[in-house]
Amino acid sequence: MSDSDSDTLTSKFGPLAPDLSSELEHILHLLSTTPEELFFKWESYIMKMGDSANLDLKTLKAFKKDLQDALERESRAKGHVVHQSAAKRTAATPRANGGGDVMGMLDGMVSNTTPASGPRLTATARKRQAGFDTPTAANKSTKNGPNSSPADSHSHKPPATAQTATSFEHRPNPGEIIQQINPHIPSATTAPSDPPTESRVKLKANLELPKFAYKTMAQTLTSASEILDDRIDSFTDLIQSHHSLPDSAFGNPAAQSTAEIVAVGRICSDQPNAKLNASSVVLETSRRMGAGLRVPLKFGEGVGYGLFPGKILAVRGSNVSGEYFKVSEVLALPALPLPASTPLELDVHNDRLTGAGGEEARPLGVLVAAGPYTTDSDLDFVALHTLLAKAEEERTDVLILCGPFLDLEHPAIRSGDLETYLPAGAKFEPDRATLNDAFRLLISVPLQKLVQAVPTITIILVPSLRDAVSKHVSWPQDRLAKGPLGLGGVKQVQIVTNPIVVSVNEIVFAISTLDVLSELRAGDVHQRGAGFEGDMLGRLAAEVVGQRHFFPVFPPQGREDMPRLTGEGEGEERSPVGVGLDVAYLKLGEWVNVRPDVLVLPSVLNPFVKVIEGITTINPGTLSKKRGAGTFVAMNLLARGVRDEERERGEAVGHEVFGRGRVDVVRI
């Protein structure tokens, strides 16, 4: 930069510290602009950000990022038309001078890319950057839209952007089974030689779906407190019946007494916003049993426990000092029975699995996946297309897709810059387009093509609070409207509530897309003797089963306590969507009569499949991570044969899914 440019910077911006002057000079060189034009852009940026923006290094970096994003959008707008005309031929990705990527758009996704500024990477560093693992918290999610639209919807191919396609095609170990149960059961890897002509599945919802269409943001403190209080009283009745206790055995744990009593209450922290720990545990009583008072808990030696905020706990002990309740025993909560069906009902369901010629029944094929379905750097949904191609190849019977589909936490969804990501040739009006149109083009169209290829398939869509197309902003969550999403006439696609308990033939599936496992892990306090020693994920899932509720945590983590989301400008951060409980309707998340055969709890924690108290419990993981491919679950369920002695008795028999179902956790 010439001395005159340096003088002009000083005259426009005033006396500058060396680091500020160096940063401004770098911006001038990067944008190939003049000091006067840069000053005008700075003035415009100050007006946009408000008077609070000061001329410091942090603000200058955010200013530079804002200019880069503006150039990036302009570059995509110019390159969009070119891409449409050349979508079917491979072209070299544009490079900035010196071999770097355009304005840092690739963000280390490609090994042969050098950042626009900074030292040249060594071969080892480039190889590390090309890794396909989920980034650490230090790697911030920025808007990295590629200079192209996704591939034409007629083929399930990745977009023409070489970096994204190459990364997915070279993902590590695709199709690898990382965990499984019942490996002796055969897995359906190819389509049957004689495909069925009608669906082998009959669905039945085991919840009252209309109750989920309640008005959100209308709960009152009195209704919420009554729901929480009634839950304690209902568990008190269960404990009394299960352990055959007289009324006199129960008492108020907050009252000073030398007598040993049984107390039932909710686990809380002694500080409103503090994380639960062993020294801050208090038991909140109901108004009927303890006037709603709270008392600190101290556990005796050798007493095992597993606690989290909101857990309903029954304990035996005494409060001799009046300062705390000394626990001598934790009473077990009664378990719900497993579902059962009569032999006649099982015969009806088994007949659906048997071919027209009466040959041996083919196992029921089920695929389970959870969103996000695309990386943070694009909206190509190549992972979803790959899963749908697998369902088509194997002629899967049931495909369960858990949200989010259009993720509110995706950078492109947050910014609203979707036009460049829509399929080439898509018919829509940019000025009138909505997120429903984006869902229709990116999600519904591929699902419709799968239905056309496999008419006998049943697709179940479970929404998430992070779905941008959802108008129901709290949990429990109502269904998405099929019509606006372009699925109104597709009978093979069923959109259900969140949570949902649904019977697939005789098998009871219980599904909730709210990440309860992460919430349980955040508030987990336990001591040896609580069971599942060394198996944290199994122990957390067992808490859901024992509490008879899809989300027994209360209160959940606040949005301010969750990891922040990086915005488009450097230093700009946003809160995640959060849990959004509507406490007045928490009863919609309770398990009423039976435990499920299969429990699906999608989570960002490690995917797994475990048999817990007779329930096949699954965390499919996410199909796509922030910068890489994820996992899904493939199930092959044999028919439940009825033994002669069972048929003679004529009584309902358990489904025993845990012993007749092969479940694989697979890398996409």
Side-chain angles (χ1 to χ4, degrees), residues 233-418:
D233 288 339
S234 65
F235 269 81
T236 301
D237 296 338
L238 289 173
I239 289 292
Q240 183 174 9
S241 175
H242 181 67
H243 293 277
S244 302
L245 299 173
D247 292 342
S248 58
F250 295 86
N252 180 5
Q256 183 177 5
S257 173
T258 57
E260 187 177 67
I261 63 170
V262 173
V264 182
R266 176 180 294 103
I267 295 298
C268 305
S269 174
D270 59 3
Q271 298 296 324
N273 299 318
K275 188 179 185 299
L276 188 69
N277 57 64
S279 60
S280 67
V281 174
V282 297
L283 187 72
E284 179 184 82
T285 62
S286 68
R287 284 173 290 189
R288 177 166 68 95
M289 298 300 298
L293 296 175
R294 293 182 173 184
V295 58
L297 291 185
K298 289 192 177 181
F299 293 85
E301 294 183 5
V303 178
Y305 60 84
L307 308 175
F308 59 87
K311 179 175 182 176
I312 306 300
L313 191 69
V315 292
R316 190 191 303 274
S318 59
N319 186 350
V320 178
S321 65
E323 297 179 355
Y324 60 88
F325 188 81
K326 182 66 174 291
V327 178
S328 59
E329 180 186 3
V330 177
L331 300 183
L333 299 177
L336 284 168
L338 286 169
S341 301
T342 64
L344 182 59
E345 291 171 336
L346 291 175
D347 289 341
V348 173
H349 296 309
N350 292 341
D351 287 343
R352 293 194 185 94
L353 303 182
T354 305
E359 64 271 11
E360 184 179 355
R362 181 172 181 260
L364 187 74
V366 182
L367 296 180
V368 184
Y373 294 94
T374 187
T375 61
D376 276 3
S377 60
D378 53 53
L379 284 175
D380 60 8
F381 289 91
V382 61
L384 176 63
H385 294 164
T386 304
L387 180 68
L388 299 185
K390 178 179 178 63
E392 178 180 348
E393 177 186 357
E394 299 180 359
R395 302 193 72 85
T396 297
D397 295 296
V398 182
L399 175 61
I400 300 176
L401 299 178
C402 303
F405 301 99
L406 292 184
D407 189 1
L408 278 171
E409 296 181 358
H410 192 286
I413 301 296
R414 296 205 311 266
S415 67
D417 186 14
L418 303 179

Side-chain angles (χ1 to χ4, degrees), residues 5 27 42 45 47 113 155 161 174 195 235 243 258 278 315 330 349 446 448 456 565 582 609 630 643 647:
D5 288 344
I27 296 175
W42 168 257
Y45 180 79
M47 293 177 63
T113 303
S155 61
T161 305
F235 269 81
H243 293 277
T258 57
V315 292
V330 177
H349 296 309
Q448 291 170 354
T456 58
L565 303 175
D582 196 312
V609 53
R643 294 180 283 273
R647 193 177 299 277

Side-chain angles (χ1 to χ4, degrees), residues 394-461:
E394 299 180 359
R395 302 193 72 85
T396 297
D397 295 296
V398 182
L399 175 61
I400 300 176
L401 299 178
C402 303
F405 301 99
L406 292 184
D407 189 1
L408 278 171
E409 296 181 358
H410 192 286
I413 301 296
R414 296 205 311 266
S415 67
D417 186 14
L418 303 179
E419 183 176 354
T420 56
Y421 295 105
L422 299 180
K427 296 181 180 180
F428 68 98
E429 299 181 32
D431 295 338
R432 298 184 179 181
T434 65
L435 288 170
N436 287 339
D437 296 319
F439 187 101
R440 176 173 53 83
L441 294 170
L442 298 173
I443 306 293
S444 299
V445 170
L447 292 181
Q448 291 170 354
K449 292 183 177 180
L450 174 61
V451 167
Q452 292 174 1
V454 188
T456 58
I457 195 171
T458 298
I459 303 175
I460 302 175
L461 303 185

